[in-house]
Amino acid sequence: MAKVFLTRKIPDIGIELLKQKHEVSIFSDQKNPNKQQLIKNAQNADAIISLLSDQIDEEVINKCNHLKIIANYAVGYDNIDLKVAQENNIIITNTPGVLTEATADLTWTLLLATARRIVESDKYVRDLKFDGWGPELLLGRKTYGKTLGIIGFGRIGQAVAKRAHGFNMEVLYNKRTPLAQDEESKLGARFAELDKLLKESDFITINASLNDSTYHLIDEKEFEKMKDNAIIVNTGRGPIVNEKALVKALQQNKIFGAGLDVYEEEPKVNPELLELDNVILTPHTGSATTYARNEMAKMVANDILAAIEGKDPVNRIV
Ligand code: GLV
Ligand code: GLV
Protein backbone atom coordinates (compact mmCIF):
# COMPACT_ATOMS: atom_id res chain seq x y z
CA MET A 1 0.00 0.00 0.00
CA ALA A 2 1.33 3.37 -1.01
CA LYS A 3 0.44 6.70 0.56
CA VAL A 4 -1.44 9.18 -1.62
CA PHE A 5 -1.93 12.75 -0.38
CA LEU A 6 -4.53 15.10 -1.87
CA THR A 7 -4.18 18.80 -1.11
CA ARG A 8 -7.93 19.14 -1.62
CA LYS A 9 -10.87 16.82 -2.14
CA ILE A 10 -11.53 15.97 -5.80
CA PRO A 11 -14.63 14.16 -7.16
CA ASP A 12 -15.23 10.78 -5.46
CA ILE A 13 -14.80 8.78 -8.65
CA GLY A 14 -11.03 9.40 -8.49
CA ILE A 15 -10.72 8.88 -4.76
CA GLU A 16 -12.54 5.52 -4.96
CA LEU A 17 -10.12 4.26 -7.61
CA LEU A 18 -7.16 5.09 -5.37
CA LYS A 19 -8.70 3.73 -2.16
CA GLN A 20 -9.10 0.26 -3.67
CA LYS A 21 -5.32 -0.16 -3.50
CA HIS A 22 -3.78 2.58 -1.45
CA GLU A 23 -3.97 4.73 1.65
CA VAL A 24 -5.53 8.07 0.78
CA SER A 25 -5.41 11.22 2.89
CA ILE A 26 -7.06 14.51 2.03
CA PHE A 27 -6.04 17.86 3.50
CA SER A 28 -9.49 19.46 3.25
CA ASP A 29 -12.56 19.86 1.09
CA GLN A 30 -12.56 23.62 1.73
CA LYS A 31 -9.09 25.02 1.39
CA ASN A 32 -5.59 24.20 0.26
CA PRO A 33 -2.65 23.73 2.63
CA ASN A 34 -0.07 26.49 2.96
CA LYS A 35 3.50 25.50 2.26
CA GLN A 36 4.33 24.30 5.77
CA GLN A 37 1.09 22.29 5.97
CA LEU A 38 1.79 20.83 2.55
CA ILE A 39 5.28 19.69 3.54
CA LYS A 40 4.09 18.33 6.89
CA ASN A 41 1.32 16.28 5.28
CA ALA A 42 3.17 15.14 2.19
CA GLN A 43 6.62 14.31 3.49
CA ASN A 44 5.88 10.60 3.80
CA ALA A 45 3.65 10.39 0.73
CA ASP A 46 4.50 8.37 -2.38
CA ALA A 47 2.12 10.42 -4.51
CA ILE A 48 0.50 13.86 -4.37
CA ILE A 49 -2.54 15.17 -6.16
CA SER A 50 -2.01 18.93 -6.36
CA LEU A 51 -4.13 21.81 -7.61
CA LEU A 52 -2.95 24.69 -9.78
CA SER A 53 -3.05 26.86 -6.64
CA ASP A 54 -0.49 24.68 -4.80
CA GLN A 55 3.04 25.95 -5.31
CA ILE A 56 5.19 22.84 -5.72
CA ASP A 57 8.61 24.46 -5.49
CA GLU A 58 12.13 23.29 -4.74
CA GLU A 59 11.65 23.28 -0.96
CA VAL A 60 8.49 21.19 -1.15
CA ILE A 61 10.07 18.70 -3.53
CA ASN A 62 13.27 18.40 -1.50
CA LYS A 63 11.44 17.85 1.77
CA CYS A 64 9.01 15.28 0.37
CA ASN A 65 11.60 12.68 -0.50
CA HIS A 66 9.36 9.63 -0.82
CA LEU A 67 7.57 11.02 -3.83
CA LYS A 68 7.30 9.03 -7.06
CA ILE A 69 4.68 11.18 -8.71
CA ILE A 70 2.88 14.51 -8.47
CA ALA A 71 -0.36 14.46 -10.46
CA ASN A 72 -1.54 18.02 -11.09
CA TYR A 73 -5.34 18.23 -11.23
CA ALA A 74 -5.20 20.75 -14.12
CA VAL A 75 -3.98 21.01 -17.68
CA GLY A 76 -1.59 23.86 -16.77
CA TYR A 77 1.43 23.08 -14.59
CA ASP A 78 3.16 26.43 -14.12
CA ASN A 79 2.75 25.87 -10.35
CA ILE A 80 5.32 23.06 -10.38
CA ASP A 81 9.11 23.37 -10.64
CA LEU A 82 9.56 20.78 -13.39
CA LYS A 83 13.34 21.00 -13.41
CA VAL A 84 13.71 20.17 -9.72
CA ALA A 85 11.08 17.42 -10.04
CA GLN A 86 13.03 15.89 -12.89
CA GLU A 87 16.33 16.09 -10.98
CA ASN A 88 14.64 14.18 -8.17
CA ASN A 89 13.17 11.56 -10.53
CA ILE A 90 9.62 12.57 -9.69
CA ILE A 91 7.04 12.04 -12.40
CA ILE A 92 4.73 14.98 -13.15
CA THR A 93 1.38 14.51 -14.89
CA ASN A 94 -1.49 16.82 -15.88
CA THR A 95 -5.07 16.43 -17.16
CA PRO A 96 -5.18 17.48 -20.84
CA GLY A 97 -7.97 16.85 -23.33
CA VAL A 98 -10.94 16.13 -21.04
CA LEU A 99 -11.34 19.79 -20.11
CA THR A 100 -10.76 21.25 -23.57
CA GLU A 101 -14.41 21.64 -24.60
CA ALA A 102 -15.49 22.95 -21.18
CA THR A 103 -12.81 25.62 -21.27
CA ALA A 104 -13.59 26.56 -24.88
CA ASP A 105 -17.25 26.89 -23.87
CA LEU A 106 -16.40 29.23 -21.01
CA THR A 107 -14.19 31.29 -23.33
CA TRP A 108 -17.18 31.75 -25.62
CA THR A 109 -19.53 32.35 -22.71
CA LEU A 110 -17.37 35.25 -21.56
CA LEU A 111 -16.93 36.53 -25.11
CA LEU A 112 -20.66 36.71 -25.81
CA ALA A 113 -21.59 37.84 -22.31
CA THR A 114 -19.12 40.74 -22.57
CA ALA A 115 -20.22 41.65 -26.10
CA ARG A 116 -23.91 41.65 -25.10
CA ARG A 117 -23.42 43.10 -21.59
CA ILE A 118 -25.25 40.20 -19.98
CA VAL A 119 -24.24 40.87 -16.37
CA GLU A 120 -25.19 44.55 -16.61
CA SER A 121 -28.48 43.54 -18.24
CA ASP A 122 -29.31 41.03 -15.52
CA LYS A 123 -28.59 43.63 -12.85
CA TYR A 124 -30.76 46.16 -14.71
CA VAL A 125 -33.75 43.83 -14.59
CA ARG A 126 -33.22 42.84 -10.94
CA ASP A 127 -32.88 46.50 -9.97
CA LEU A 128 -36.40 46.94 -11.43
CA LYS A 129 -35.15 49.44 -14.01
CA PHE A 130 -36.76 47.66 -16.95
CA ASP A 131 -39.75 49.85 -17.78
CA GLY A 132 -40.17 49.10 -21.47
CA TRP A 133 -38.38 48.11 -24.67
CA GLY A 134 -35.75 50.69 -25.59
CA PRO A 135 -34.29 51.29 -29.06
CA GLU A 136 -30.92 52.14 -27.57
CA LEU A 137 -31.03 50.20 -24.34
CA LEU A 138 -27.86 48.29 -23.41
CA LEU A 139 -26.36 48.19 -26.88
CA GLY A 140 -23.53 45.72 -27.34
CA ARG A 141 -21.17 44.50 -30.03
CA LYS A 142 -21.83 42.37 -33.09
CA THR A 143 -19.89 39.12 -33.29
CA TYR A 144 -21.13 37.76 -36.64
CA GLY A 145 -18.54 38.15 -39.39
CA LYS A 146 -16.00 39.83 -37.11
CA THR A 147 -12.36 38.88 -36.56
CA LEU A 148 -11.34 36.64 -33.68
CA GLY A 149 -7.68 36.55 -32.60
CA ILE A 150 -6.67 33.55 -30.52
CA ILE A 151 -3.45 33.72 -28.51
CA GLY A 152 -2.23 30.22 -27.70
CA PHE A 153 -3.41 27.64 -30.19
CA GLY A 154 -3.21 24.26 -28.44
CA ARG A 155 -6.23 22.06 -27.91
CA ILE A 156 -8.27 24.74 -26.18
CA GLY A 157 -7.44 27.54 -28.64
CA GLN A 158 -8.35 25.25 -31.53
CA ALA A 159 -11.66 24.31 -29.89
CA VAL A 160 -12.40 28.04 -29.54
CA ALA A 161 -11.66 28.46 -33.27
CA LYS A 162 -14.08 25.68 -34.27
CA ARG A 163 -16.91 27.40 -32.40
CA ALA A 164 -16.22 30.63 -34.33
CA HIS A 165 -17.40 29.18 -37.64
CA GLY A 166 -21.06 29.38 -36.69
CA PHE A 167 -20.48 33.11 -36.25
CA ASN A 168 -18.86 33.36 -39.68
CA MET A 169 -15.77 34.87 -38.09
CA GLU A 170 -12.35 35.30 -39.56
CA VAL A 171 -9.97 33.51 -37.23
CA LEU A 172 -6.36 34.56 -36.62
CA TYR A 173 -4.10 32.78 -34.17
CA ASN A 174 -0.70 33.26 -32.64
CA LYS A 175 1.50 30.61 -31.12
CA ARG A 176 5.23 29.95 -30.95
CA THR A 177 5.27 27.42 -33.79
CA PRO A 178 2.63 27.91 -36.51
CA LEU A 179 0.58 24.87 -37.57
CA ALA A 180 1.08 23.11 -40.90
CA GLN A 181 -0.97 24.57 -43.76
CA ASP A 182 -3.39 21.63 -43.94
CA GLU A 183 -4.06 21.84 -40.19
CA GLU A 184 -4.76 25.55 -40.58
CA SER A 185 -7.21 25.04 -43.41
CA LYS A 186 -9.01 22.29 -41.49
CA LEU A 187 -9.51 24.73 -38.62
CA GLY A 188 -10.22 27.70 -40.88
CA ALA A 189 -7.61 29.75 -39.04
CA ARG A 190 -4.58 31.75 -40.17
CA PHE A 191 -1.34 32.36 -38.30
CA ALA A 192 -0.67 36.03 -37.52
CA GLU A 193 2.21 37.77 -35.79
CA LEU A 194 1.06 39.15 -32.45
CA ASP A 195 1.22 42.73 -33.71
CA LYS A 196 -1.13 42.01 -36.63
CA LEU A 197 -3.48 39.95 -34.47
CA LEU A 198 -3.79 42.77 -31.93
CA LYS A 199 -4.42 45.41 -34.61
CA GLU A 200 -6.96 43.43 -36.64
CA SER A 201 -9.01 41.49 -34.09
CA ASP A 202 -12.38 42.58 -32.76
CA PHE A 203 -12.22 39.81 -30.16
CA ILE A 204 -9.04 38.48 -28.57
CA THR A 205 -8.99 35.32 -26.48
CA ILE A 206 -6.05 34.09 -24.44
CA ASN A 207 -5.79 30.32 -24.44
CA ALA A 208 -2.07 29.99 -23.83
CA SER A 209 -0.18 28.45 -20.96
CA LEU A 210 1.98 30.57 -18.67
CA ASN A 211 5.72 30.43 -19.19
CA ASP A 212 8.63 32.86 -19.60
CA SER A 213 7.54 33.75 -23.12
CA THR A 214 3.90 34.48 -22.25
CA TYR A 215 4.38 36.38 -18.95
CA HIS A 216 2.92 39.91 -19.48
CA LEU A 217 2.59 39.18 -23.19
CA ILE A 218 -0.31 41.65 -23.11
CA ASP A 219 0.93 44.86 -21.55
CA GLU A 220 0.29 48.59 -21.98
CA LYS A 221 1.87 48.68 -25.43
CA GLU A 222 -0.31 45.79 -26.61
CA PHE A 223 -3.52 47.47 -25.40
CA GLU A 224 -2.47 50.54 -27.40
CA LYS A 225 -2.47 48.46 -30.57
CA MET A 226 -5.98 47.04 -30.09
CA LYS A 227 -9.07 48.34 -31.86
CA ASP A 228 -11.16 50.89 -29.92
CA ASN A 229 -13.98 48.45 -29.41
CA ALA A 230 -11.91 45.32 -28.86
CA ILE A 231 -13.02 42.70 -26.35
CA ILE A 232 -10.44 40.57 -24.58
CA VAL A 233 -11.14 37.26 -22.84
CA ASN A 234 -8.63 35.44 -20.64
CA THR A 235 -9.29 31.85 -19.60
CA GLY A 236 -5.59 30.90 -19.68
CA ARG A 237 -3.50 32.30 -16.84
CA GLY A 238 -3.73 35.71 -15.17
CA PRO A 239 -0.07 36.77 -15.42
CA ILE A 240 -0.19 36.58 -19.24
CA VAL A 241 -1.89 39.97 -19.01
CA ASN A 242 -0.46 42.88 -17.03
CA GLU A 243 -3.56 43.44 -14.88
CA LYS A 244 -2.66 47.09 -14.13
CA ALA A 245 -2.51 47.84 -17.86
CA LEU A 246 -5.83 46.03 -18.36
CA VAL A 247 -7.51 48.06 -15.60
CA LYS A 248 -6.27 51.27 -17.20
CA ALA A 249 -7.52 50.24 -20.66
CA LEU A 250 -10.94 49.41 -19.19
CA GLN A 251 -11.16 52.56 -17.05
CA GLN A 252 -10.31 54.76 -20.03
CA ASN A 253 -12.67 52.81 -22.32
CA LYS A 254 -9.68 52.17 -24.55
CA ILE A 255 -11.32 48.80 -25.30
CA PHE A 256 -15.00 47.80 -25.11
CA GLY A 257 -14.65 45.23 -22.35
CA ALA A 258 -13.05 42.12 -20.90
CA GLY A 259 -14.12 38.70 -19.69
CA LEU A 260 -11.78 37.25 -17.10
CA ASP A 261 -11.63 33.79 -15.56
CA VAL A 262 -8.07 34.14 -14.28
CA TYR A 263 -6.18 36.84 -12.34
CA GLU A 264 -2.64 37.94 -11.90
CA GLU A 265 -2.47 37.23 -8.16
CA GLU A 266 -5.15 34.60 -7.79
CA PRO A 267 -7.26 34.30 -5.72
CA LYS A 268 -6.80 38.04 -5.16
CA VAL A 269 -8.69 40.16 -7.65
CA ASN A 270 -7.58 43.72 -8.29
CA PRO A 271 -10.21 45.82 -6.41
CA GLU A 272 -10.32 48.31 -9.28
CA LEU A 273 -11.76 45.59 -11.53
CA LEU A 274 -14.68 45.19 -9.12
CA GLU A 275 -15.69 48.79 -9.73
CA LEU A 276 -16.01 48.43 -13.50
CA ASP A 277 -19.13 47.57 -15.52
CA ASN A 278 -17.22 46.67 -18.67
CA VAL A 279 -15.62 43.54 -17.25
CA ILE A 280 -17.16 40.18 -16.39
CA LEU A 281 -15.42 38.12 -13.72
CA THR A 282 -15.60 34.37 -13.09
CA PRO A 283 -13.65 32.43 -10.41
CA HIS A 284 -11.30 30.26 -12.55
CA THR A 285 -14.10 27.93 -13.59
CA GLY A 286 -12.97 27.13 -17.14
CA SER A 287 -13.03 23.38 -16.58
CA ALA A 288 -15.89 23.43 -14.07
CA THR A 289 -18.35 20.98 -15.60
CA THR A 290 -19.25 17.78 -13.75
CA TYR A 291 -18.06 15.79 -16.75
CA ALA A 292 -14.64 17.45 -17.01
CA ARG A 293 -13.95 17.39 -13.28
CA ASN A 294 -14.90 13.68 -13.04
CA GLU A 295 -12.71 12.80 -16.02
CA MET A 296 -9.83 14.78 -14.51
CA ALA A 297 -10.28 12.85 -11.25
CA LYS A 298 -10.09 9.49 -13.07
CA MET A 299 -7.04 10.69 -14.97
CA VAL A 300 -4.99 11.69 -11.92
CA ALA A 301 -6.00 8.48 -10.12
CA ASN A 302 -5.06 6.20 -13.02
CA ASP A 303 -1.77 7.99 -13.55
CA ILE A 304 -0.89 7.56 -9.88
CA LEU A 305 -1.87 3.87 -9.95
CA ALA A 306 0.39 3.38 -12.97
CA ALA A 307 3.36 5.24 -11.47
CA ILE A 308 3.15 3.29 -8.20
CA GLU A 309 3.22 0.05 -10.19
CA GLY A 310 6.32 1.27 -12.00
CA LYS A 311 4.52 1.90 -15.29
CA ASP A 312 4.65 5.05 -17.37
CA PRO A 313 1.55 7.21 -16.71
CA VAL A 314 -0.44 8.23 -19.79
CA ASN A 315 -0.31 11.98 -19.09
CA ARG A 316 3.33 12.24 -18.10
CA ILE A 317 5.00 15.62 -18.64
CA VAL A 318 8.42 14.79 -17.17
C1 GLV B 1 -7.01 25.28 -15.36
O1 GLV B 1 -6.70 26.43 -15.46
C2 GLV B 1 -6.16 24.21 -15.75
O2 GLV B 1 -4.98 24.44 -16.04
O3 GLV B 1 -6.65 23.06 -15.77
C1 GLV C 1 -4.43 23.28 -24.03
O1 GLV C 1 -4.15 23.80 -25.08
C2 GLV C 1 -4.67 21.85 -23.79
O2 GLV C 1 -3.68 21.11 -23.71
O3 GLV C 1 -5.84 21.43 -23.71
Side-chain angles (χ1 to χ4, degrees):
M1 254 205 181
K3 289 187 165 64
V4 182
F5 175 66
L6 281 71
T7 61
R8 181 88 163 253
K9 188 192 168 295
I10 62 167
D12 290 330
I13 194 162
I15 297 173
E16 294 311 319
L17 281 171
L18 290 165
K19 275 190 176 163
Q20 286 168 15
K21 295 196 174 157
H22 303 293
E23 188 186 319
V24 174
S25 64
I26 301 171
F27 181 74
S28 162
D29 58 0
Q30 301 289 342
K31 58 181 172 57
N32 292 34
N34 63 30
K35 192 152 132 181
Q36 294 324 314
Q37 291 168 323
L38 174 58
I39 292 169
K40 182 163 172 273
N41 284 276
Q43 57 190 353
N44 295 317
D46 303 283
I48 295 180
I49 296 178
S50 54
L51 305 192
L52 56 92
S53 42
D54 296 311
Q55 290 309 315
I56 310 288
D57 60 11
E58 184 164 10
E59 186 187 353
V60 173
I61 292 173
N62 285 335
K63 291 196 172 152
C64 299
N65 44 32
H66 290 75
L67 284 178
K68 284 196 177 64
I69 175 169
I70 300 168
N72 211 39
Y73 187 72
V75 68
Y77 43 83
D78 50 276
N79 57 310
I80 300 178
D81 190 329
L82 291 189
K83 190 165 154 278
V84 177
Q86 208 164 11
E87 284 163 8
N88 285 272
N89 292 314
I90 297 170
I91 294 171
I92 306 295
T93 63
N94 69 338
T95 61
V98 293
L99 46 63
T100 299
E101 305 304 336
T103 309
D105 283 351
L106 189 81
T107 305
W108 267 95
T109 303
L110 287 172
L111 188 160
L112 289 169
T114 306
R116 299 303 299 271
R117 303 170 61 184
I118 295 303
V119 173
E120 269 179 277
S121 298
D122 178 272
K123 185 167 186 314
Y124 186 86
V125 177
R126 288 175 201 266
D127 288 350
L128 305 178
K129 288 183 181 156
F130 182 37
D131 59 2
W133 189 88
E136 293 180 295
L137 176 62
L138 285 160
L139 302 184
R141 305 296 306 166
K142 174 175 182 261
T143 45
Y144 193 85
K146 296 285 186 175
T147 299
L148 171 64
I150 302 175
I151 297 174
F153 209 56
R155 294 180 188 82
I156 297 169
Q158 293 180 24
V160 169
K162 286 181 191 157
R163 285 158 174 73
H165 299 150
F167 293 82
N168 197 29
M169 285 175 127
E170 174 161 10
V171 181
L172 304 176
Y173 75 90
N174 182 267
K175 80 190 284 271
R176 243 179 309 188
T177 320
L179 301 185
Q181 200 100 55
D182 60 324
E183 286 294 313
E184 281 197 358
S185 24
K186 245 190 276 172
L187 290 158
R190 276 190 299 129
F191 176 82
E193 297 297 342
L194 186 60
D195 197 62
K196 178 179 158 79
L197 183 149
L198 296 171
K199 285 180 179 154
E200 294 186 5
S201 299
D202 301 290
F203 298 88
I204 296 167
T205 67
I206 297 177
N207 301 104
S209 51
L210 176 63
N211 53 51
D212 291 344
S213 70
T214 58
Y215 177 80
H216 279 195
L217 186 66
I218 306 300
D219 209 327
E220 197 155 349
K221 188 160 108 278
E222 285 67 36
F223 282 107
E224 290 300 326
K225 290 177 186 164
M226 291 178 195
K227 287 187 173 181
D228 286 345
N229 275 317
I231 285 175
I232 184 167
V233 173
N234 189 1
T235 56
R237 282 292 182 270
I240 297 174
V241 177
N242 179 342
E243 211 164 78
K244 285 206 178 73
L246 169 65
V247 165
K248 206 169 130 198
L250 289 167
Q251 281 172 339
Q252 299 175 351
N253 290 311
K254 170 78 199 71
I255 57 174
F256 183 81
L260 305 177
D261 189 43
V262 290
Y263 306 88
E264 196 162 354
E265 293 178 48
E266 246 172 80
K268 271 192 238 154
V269 177
N270 186 324
E272 290 184 291
L273 284 174
L274 307 178
E275 304 296 320
L276 294 166
D277 281 336
N278 54 352
V279 61
I280 294 183
L281 310 166
T282 52
H284 205 147
T285 45
S287 66
T289 63
T290 307
Y291 170 82
R293 294 288 167 83
N294 281 341
E295 291 300 310
M296 291 162 68
K298 286 193 255 174
M299 240 175 185
V300 288
N302 285 324
D303 281 342
I304 285 176
L305 293 173
I308 291 171
E309 285 171 22
K311 295 182 197 147
D312 211 20
V314 178
N315 304 293
R316 182 172 185 165
I317 300 158
V318 297

